[in-house]
């Protein structure tokens, strides 16, 4: 009986979130800046392209920045705000502190766009565009060829920026790398996502790096990890100390956005506990298998899921503001 009560709770919560997302997305449009700031999209793309060319990891950082912004009270640029006397920002939340990156690049982009069109383009939209452009760049394999079926999507625009941030929400709403499958499903359902969409979004871990502190427990105490991978990770992640040491989430193709992440999970080579939970004898095993063998399916599902994520509770109309400086309210 408790199972059915929990099932219906998640079902109706997901339905409510879906309706809210549909309502909010109706106020966004892909051509929002076509007349008011036509060069904005290209300016952002050029800046992201140059930054990722210098450091591939920046692409993953910008994608993660988008996720951490949207999962805390919606895609409103709140993650960029510094602390004030009125509120403590989200940068020092446990999931973000000393790990979330890309703030300086967003500042640079904002400065460039402000010179073109003062007070027009929001910080929230810059994050969303930068995330899309990062994935597009990392779809390219060496020699400049684009891998077959890499994710691509049209960014809906017109978000405005929040005038506050929430440290507590950042600590509670962003999923932990230590979560079990049941908690992960509930966490994503609270934002209106199905388990399938959750698995698709988790595929973002095909790029980027993780700090030792996020996978130390798995490496030293879990049995569902490939022994050779554990040995390799231990060399860079001691049992004590070295918390900030980095290891690639996908050691095979760490700088290419592909579906290799899912094949890693099938071999017990997920670095994070939460990643390996997606292929651990549970309800999401089949979806991991599908994405591991069908890269085009993964790319399409990832694109749909991240567009949906980008539509989480945006501020539109007269709500919020267009910040001049992404780090502080006007």
């Amino acid at each position: 009986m408790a199972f059915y009560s929990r099932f219906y709770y998640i079902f109706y919560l997901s339905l409510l979130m879906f309706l809210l997302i549909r309502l909010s997305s109706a106020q966004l449009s892909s051509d929002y800046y076509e007349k008011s700031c036509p060069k904005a999209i290209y300016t952002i793309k050029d800046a992201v392209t140059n930054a990722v060319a210098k450091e591939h990891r920046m692409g993953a950082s910008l994608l993660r920045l988008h996720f951490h912004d949207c999962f805390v009270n919606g895609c409103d640029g709140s993650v960029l705000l510094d602390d004030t006397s009125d509120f403590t920002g989200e940068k020092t939340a446990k999931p973000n502190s000393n790990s979330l990156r890309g703030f300086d690049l967003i500042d640079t982009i904002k400065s460039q766009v402000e010179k073109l069109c003062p007070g027009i383009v929001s910080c929230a939209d810059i994050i969303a565009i930068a995330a899309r452009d990062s994935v597009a760049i990392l779809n390219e394999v060496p020699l400049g060829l684009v891998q077959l079926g890499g994710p691509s999507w049209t960014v809906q625009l017109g978000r405005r920026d929040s005038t506050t941030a929430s440290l507590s929400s950042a600590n509670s709403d962003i999923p932990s790398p230590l979560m079990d499958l049941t908690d992960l499903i509930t966490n994503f359902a609270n934002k209106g996502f199905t388990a399938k969409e959750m698995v698709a979004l988790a595929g973002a871990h095909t790029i980027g790096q993780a700090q030792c502190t996020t996978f130390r427990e798995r490496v030293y105490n879990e049995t569902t990890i490939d022994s050779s991978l554990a040995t390799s990770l231990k060399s860079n992640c001691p049992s004590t100390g070295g918390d900030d040491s980095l290891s690639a989430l996908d050691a095979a193709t760490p700088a290419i956005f592909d579906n290799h992440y899912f094949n890693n999970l099938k071999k017990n080579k997920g670095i994070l506990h939460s990643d390996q939970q997606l292929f651990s004898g549970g309800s999401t095993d089949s979806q991991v298998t599908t994405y591991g063998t069908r890269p085009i399916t993964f790319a399409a599902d990832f694109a749909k899921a991240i567009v949906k994520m980008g539509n989480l509770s945006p501020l539109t109309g007269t709500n919020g503001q267009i910040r001049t400086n992404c780090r502080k309210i006007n």
Side-chain angles (χ1 to χ4, degrees):
M1 204 61 184
F3 169 81
Y4 288 107
S5 296
R6 182 174 176 275
F7 171 81
Y8 284 115
Y9 166 76
I10 292 177
F11 172 78
Y12 285 116
L13 182 61
S14 298
L15 179 62
L16 176 61
M17 290 298 297
F18 171 77
L19 293 174
L20 289 173
I21 288 170
R22 288 294 298 271
L23 180 63
S24 63
S25 63
Q27 302 176 62
L28 303 178
S29 65
S30 60
D31 60 353
Y32 188 82
Y33 298 113
E34 187 173 295
K35 294 182 179 179
S36 60
C37 195
K39 294 183 179 180
I41 306 299
Y42 304 104
T43 300
I44 296 169
K45 182 178 180 180
D46 285 347
V48 172
T49 299
N50 291 333
V52 176
K54 292 178 181 177
E55 182 196 17
H56 284 158
R57 185 188 172 202
M58 183 54 68
S61 296
L62 292 171
L63 180 58
R64 185 169 182 250
L65 190 64
H66 184 37
F67 182 91
H68 283 220
D69 183 39
C70 292
F71 254 58
V72 181
N73 300 325
C75 309
D76 58 6
S78 61
V79 71
L80 303 174
L81 288 170
D82 289 336
D83 297 348
T84 72
S85 58
D86 296 322
F87 61 81
T88 301
E90 297 161 18
K91 292 179 179 178
T92 55
K94 188 173 181 179
N96 299 336
S97 181
N98 200 33
S99 66
L100 206 59
R101 307 169 71 242
F103 299 112
D104 290 342
L105 177 57
I106 296 297
D107 287 342
T108 298
I109 294 173
K110 178 62 173 175
S111 178
Q112 293 173 351
V113 172
E114 281 295 301
K115 291 179 181 178
L116 291 173
C117 320
I120 299 296
V121 182
S122 70
C123 301
D125 275 348
I126 290 175
I127 296 175
I129 297 168
R132 188 272 312 275
D133 291 344
S134 293
V135 172
I137 295 164
L138 294 176
N139 278 340
E140 297 180 359
V141 298
L143 303 181
L145 300 176
V146 177
Q147 63 157 334
L148 180 63
S152 178
W153 65 94
T154 300
V155 180
Q156 299 298 304
L157 302 168
R159 302 168 188 81
R160 289 169 64 84
D161 299 321
S162 68
T163 55
T164 189
S166 175
L167 176 68
S168 60
S169 293
N171 279 321
S172 63
D173 291 6
I174 297 172
S176 163
L178 304 179
M179 280 184 171
D180 292 331
L181 180 60
T182 300
D183 292 331
L184 286 168
I185 291 174
T186 299
N187 179 279
F188 277 78
N190 287 340
K191 300 296 179 181
F193 292 101
T194 65
K196 178 181 177 181
E197 291 168 331
M198 174 190 73
V199 175
L201 288 173
H205 284 178
T206 185
I207 54 175
Q209 299 179 329
Q211 293 178 328
C212 169
T213 185
T214 63
F215 59 82
R216 177 184 286 122
E217 181 69 21
R218 171 161 167 74
V219 169
Y220 285 95
N221 297 316
E222 294 187 14
T223 57
T224 58
I225 184 170
D226 177 81
S227 58
S228 61
L229 174 64
T231 299
S232 174
L233 291 174
K234 286 177 182 177
S235 67
N236 194 42
C237 181
S239 57
T240 57
D243 288 359
D244 296 337
S245 297
L246 298 172
S247 292
L249 288 164
D250 173 7
T253 55
I256 301 176
F257 198 102
D258 56 19
N259 68 328
H260 205 284
Y261 161 84
F262 298 104
N263 292 318
N264 288 341
L265 300 186
K266 291 161 62 179
K267 300 173 184 176
N268 282 339
K269 291 185 176 181
I271 289 183
L272 303 180
H273 173 82
S274 57
D275 283 341
Q276 194 58 56
Q277 282 289 294
L278 301 181
F279 193 85
S280 57
S283 60
T284 55
D285 281 15
S286 60
Q287 199 60 49
V288 169
T289 299
T290 296
Y291 289 153
T293 55
R294 300 178 183 176
I296 295 178
T297 299
F298 161 58
D301 287 354
F302 179 85
K304 291 176 184 176
I306 202 165
V307 169
K308 180 176 177 177
M309 187 187 78
N311 290 333
L312 286 175
S313 306
L315 299 173
T316 57
T318 58
N319 294 316
Q321 62 181 214
I322 305 298
R323 288 187 221 132
T324 302
N325 181 335
C326 291
R327 293 176 181 262
K328 60 183 182 180
I329 59 177
N330 296 339

